[in-house]
Amino acid sequence: MAAVAQVLSTNSVSPLREMGAYEALWAKTSATFKRLADRFRLHPEAVPSDFVDPAVADKFALQAIEILKRARVTRFGVLVHGTGEYPERLREAAHPVELLYYQGWLDLAESQCVAVVGTRAPSSDAAKRTRSLVRRLVADKFTVVSGLARGIDTIAHETAIAEGGLTIAVIGTALSRAYPAENRALQRRVAHEYLLISQVPIIRFTHQGPKQNRIFFPERNVTMSALTQATIIVEAGETSGTLVQANAALKQGRKLFILDSCFRNPGLTWPARLEKQGAIRVKEYDEIARHLAS
Amino acid sequence: MPVRLIRVDALILDNQDHYYLDRNDQCYFIGEYTARRGYKFSETNQLIFNLKKSPQLRGTNQWYWKEQAIAQAGRLLRTVLTVGLNQDVLRQTVFVPVPPSKARGDPLYDDRMLRVLDELSRGLDLDVRELVLQRQSTSAAHERDDRPTPEELAANYYINDECREPVPTNVIICDDLLTSGSHFKAMQSILGDAFPNVPIAGVFIARRVPQTDDPADTNAVI
């Protein structure tokens, strides 16, 4: 082999090939984020294509692209661990992902990011609190990160955009899908003007049912926490998926803020429990701002 | 710290960001430059921004950042090119910087890429050569609307006879930012004519992701 080709092929990745290899690894029914992460832990320098036959990877890549094209996703990229723009902070997740799909403006991932998350069915008070919180975050130049779910997430993204701020959505579906469907336009807007991130394998997601796909939602909360310097919980029920993110934030050494109103709800046990584990109870934004600055 | 280059493969070419390149071109980059909206959050955006600071700023305190950027870019290249590799392979390769838009002797002549490659070579003793020179100064590509084609660029390039020997067996063309690919194609064409059958690749610090302002883009049916 010519030396130049040898130098470069040894030290490079092809995004298409890695994407196909990632999809192929996920095609095995036994695949989970944990199992994949365990495998890569044993081979820290590896990339997905080290474990998949190139012809197989290329076949899967074309299939995934076909699905994206049908969903009218024509412009997207992949972030591969070990290459330039992969956010190193993501390695602090319990099962770090080797590859992420994205659409939009990657440099937002390196801005000062704070996640605002909560219930899909917020009270009117919680909706109001979310809006005022996001306004203050935007005024302080934080990028508002959320999960594009119904409720608090949607309000967080919409308020950030309306206030002229920046936002990132870390979604629990493949790039080819918007969930809930009513957020399709918002998802497109985030993808085009801001940053949309998904770790969900496209082919697996498309071929299995909604029930099996539920596993992807909590996993994205772990990634969202790892991506951000803090998570703020506005309102969440006793069994909310938001609590996955809360636990991940504490485990990853991120700041976790819980609004005081959650503590005042007698039906909830999680606020006190998380406070004992290190979460910060806050009455107003200024307290959050002080902690973020320290 | 990135340890691998990214190939400009079919996935990236599909976006038409680098429309002069085709699937046979071996081009690689480290990061993505996305600063067209004025966001400079990412390290890559900041690096490219500082690398491109005009020589007019020489002597001002801005210049410090340019010097830092040159050193950082050299170190980055060294990391991605040397990890896990036999350095003898690298020594069989001639590293050629894309000439800056202003010719030598012009007060705005900016030899940043040559200096980045010197930084890369430090302690490795690599073969860095200004094999291609430019006859006349041009506007920097980002300052003009009518971007030159590879043919127009090549017409202004010539092979530097002073460093033609020894004849290269492998060439890596290096530049800071991959945009349309026109400079790479012009370099590839002039080097290909001078050294037929010598494999030529391109390595860039970053590729530029252009801003598409039409929101309909995301809804476009292919």
Side-chain angles (χ1 to χ4, degrees):
Chain A
M1 198 196 293
V4 68
Q6 195 186 334
V7 168
L8 296 169
S9 68
T10 316
N11 280 18
S12 70
V13 296
S14 149
L16 189 70
R17 171 76 47 84
E18 295 311 324
M19 166 184 174
Y22 183 71
E23 293 289 334
L25 290 172
W26 267 104
K28 296 204 172 73
T29 46
S30 60
T32 60
F33 286 108
K34 178 176 186 307
R35 289 208 185 98
L36 287 182
D38 286 346
R39 191 162 181 187
F40 280 93
R41 243 187 294 275
L42 294 175
H43 306 276
E45 304 296 321
V47 285
S49 65
D50 290 333
F51 301 113
V52 179
D53 179 79
V56 173
D58 292 352
K59 198 184 84 193
F60 274 90
L62 293 179
Q63 244 183 68
I65 285 180
E66 200 42 51
I67 294 171
L68 290 174
K69 280 187 176 171
R70 277 203 301 273
R72 299 181 180 181
V73 174
T74 53
R75 194 184 171 93
F76 69 98
V78 299
L79 285 173
V80 184
H81 175 223
T83 63
E85 306 296 346
Y86 180 97
E88 271 309 306
R89 306 195 290 289
L90 297 183
R91 303 317 286 176
E92 290 162 41
H95 314 304
V97 288
E98 295 304 313
L99 184 142
L100 291 161
Y101 293 100
Y102 72 92
Q103 290 184 273
W105 300 90
L106 255 189
D107 62 328
L108 295 193
E110 287 183 61
S111 61
Q112 299 283 315
C113 292
V114 173
V116 176
V117 291
T119 175
R120 288 165 198 229
S123 63
S124 62
D125 256 7
K128 223 162 84 186
R129 280 194 197 101
T130 308
R131 278 188 282 269
S132 93
L133 181 64
V134 168
R135 270 187 217 117
R136 298 292 304 275
L137 285 167
V138 167
D140 283 351
K141 305 279 179 226
F142 286 105
T143 296
V144 176
V145 184
S146 200
L148 255 179
R150 196 173 278 144
I152 300 289
D153 289 20
T154 301
I155 299 170
H157 292 300
E158 285 179 344
T159 309
I161 293 171
E163 293 293 313
L166 299 171
T167 192
I168 299 175
V170 184
I171 58 173
T173 64
L175 285 187
S176 49
R177 189 81 61 85
Y179 181 83
E182 72 239 32
N183 272 355
R184 192 180 308 274
L186 182 59
Q187 180 162 324
R188 286 218 166 115
R189 181 148 191 209
V190 172
H192 187 75
E193 297 176 36
Y194 305 95
L195 177 61
L196 182 75
I197 292 176
S198 167
Q199 68 196 62
V200 178
I202 294 155
I203 297 173
R204 174 83 178 261
F205 182 88
T206 306
H207 290 164
Q208 70 184 12
K211 202 175 156 196
Q212 288 81 26
N213 278 335
R214 268 190 222 153
I215 59 153
F216 293 123
F217 287 93
E219 298 287 352
R220 69 84 195 269
N221 285 99
V222 178
T223 297
M224 197 197 307
S225 169
L227 187 70
T228 52
Q229 53 175 295
T231 288
I232 306 173
I233 302 181
V234 180
E235 183 176 84
E238 203 58 11
T239 56
S240 172
T242 303
L243 301 184
V244 171
Q245 183 155 340
N247 288 319
L250 292 173
K251 217 166 157 184
Q252 295 161 4
R254 305 291 192 267
K255 287 182 173 134
L256 174 66
F257 299 104
I258 302 171
L259 295 199
D260 187 58
S261 46
C262 301
F263 289 86
R264 285 188 275 112
N265 181 340
L268 298 179
T269 59
W270 63 263
R273 177 170 48 85
L274 290 174
E275 190 184 21
K276 266 193 207 131
Q277 293 168 18
I280 305 165
R281 177 176 182 166
V282 284
K283 282 207 171 92
E284 51 186 32
Y285 174 75
D286 292 335
E287 291 171 61
I288 296 177
R290 271 200 302 278
H291 281 285
L292 288 176
S294 67
Chain B
M1 190 80 169
V3 290
R4 287 175 195 259
L5 288 160
I6 301 171
R7 171 112 197 232
V8 180
D9 69 357
L11 184 71
I12 293 170
L13 289 174
D14 265 4
N15 289 333
Q16 291 292 310
D17 299 344
H18 317 295
Y19 45 86
Y20 284 119
L21 300 185
D22 61 54
R23 290 183 185 201
N24 297 320
D25 292 322
Q26 277 204 58
C27 286
Y28 301 81
F29 64 95
I30 301 173
E32 297 210 345
Y33 180 73
T34 52
R36 301 260 290 166
R37 301 194 155 209
Y39 310 149
K40 296 202 186 65
F41 302 121
S42 81
E43 209 176 314
T44 307
N45 287 359
Q46 203 57 254
L47 177 62
I48 296 295
F49 178 76
N50 286 332
L51 264 179
K52 286 193 176 293
K53 279 186 193 291
S54 162
Q56 278 174 311
L57 296 168
R58 208 186 293 269
T60 71
N61 50 15
Q62 296 275 327
W63 199 250
Y64 168 81
W65 297 108
K66 175 133 176 160
E67 297 285 336
Q68 294 291 309
I70 287 169
Q72 190 191 346
R75 285 195 304 269
L76 268 175
L77 278 179
R78 189 201 307 240
T79 309
V80 295
L81 287 170
T82 56
V83 167
L85 259 193
N86 184 338
Q87 291 175 6
D88 289 343
V89 175
L90 283 177
R91 289 199 191 95
Q92 293 162 32
T93 302
V94 180
F95 291 84
V96 183
V98 171
S101 56
K102 305 294 184 239
R104 273 186 193 180
D106 190 306
L108 294 181
Y109 171 70
D110 184 351
D111 61 352
R112 63 179 183 270
M113 271 322 290
L114 184 62
R115 295 189 49 211
V116 167
L117 293 182
D118 285 343
E119 199 63 44
L120 156 71
S121 175
R122 191 185 290 229
L124 293 173
D125 195 24
L126 302 181
D127 189 350
V128 175
R129 289 190 226 169
E130 278 188 291
L131 254 178
V132 176
L133 298 176
Q134 187 163 282
R135 288 177 218 282
Q136 281 171 350
S137 293
T138 58
S139 317
H142 58 270
E143 289 165 3
R144 37 184 296 186
D145 294 331
D146 56 328
R147 300 210 161 192
T149 62
E151 294 73 26
E152 286 166 339
L153 289 168
N156 196 21
Y157 285 166
Y158 65 98
I159 294 287
N160 180 0
D161 283 326
E162 280 174 28
C163 57
R164 224 186 158 96
E165 307 287 337
V167 171
T169 53
N170 289 282
V171 170
I172 295 182
I173 296 166
C174 295
D175 208 352
D176 45 9
L177 193 59
L178 171 64
T179 55
S180 66
S182 59
H183 291 82
F184 173 79
K185 292 305 276 189
M187 294 284 287
Q188 187 191 49
S189 128
I190 195 156
L191 287 164
D193 288 348
F195 310 107
N197 302 319
V198 171
I200 298 173
V203 170
F204 302 82
I205 306 295
R207 78 176 193 94
R208 190 196 63 186
V209 180
Q211 180 176 346
T212 53
D213 268 323
D214 180 6
D217 267 13
T218 42
N219 300 325
V221 181
I222 335 155

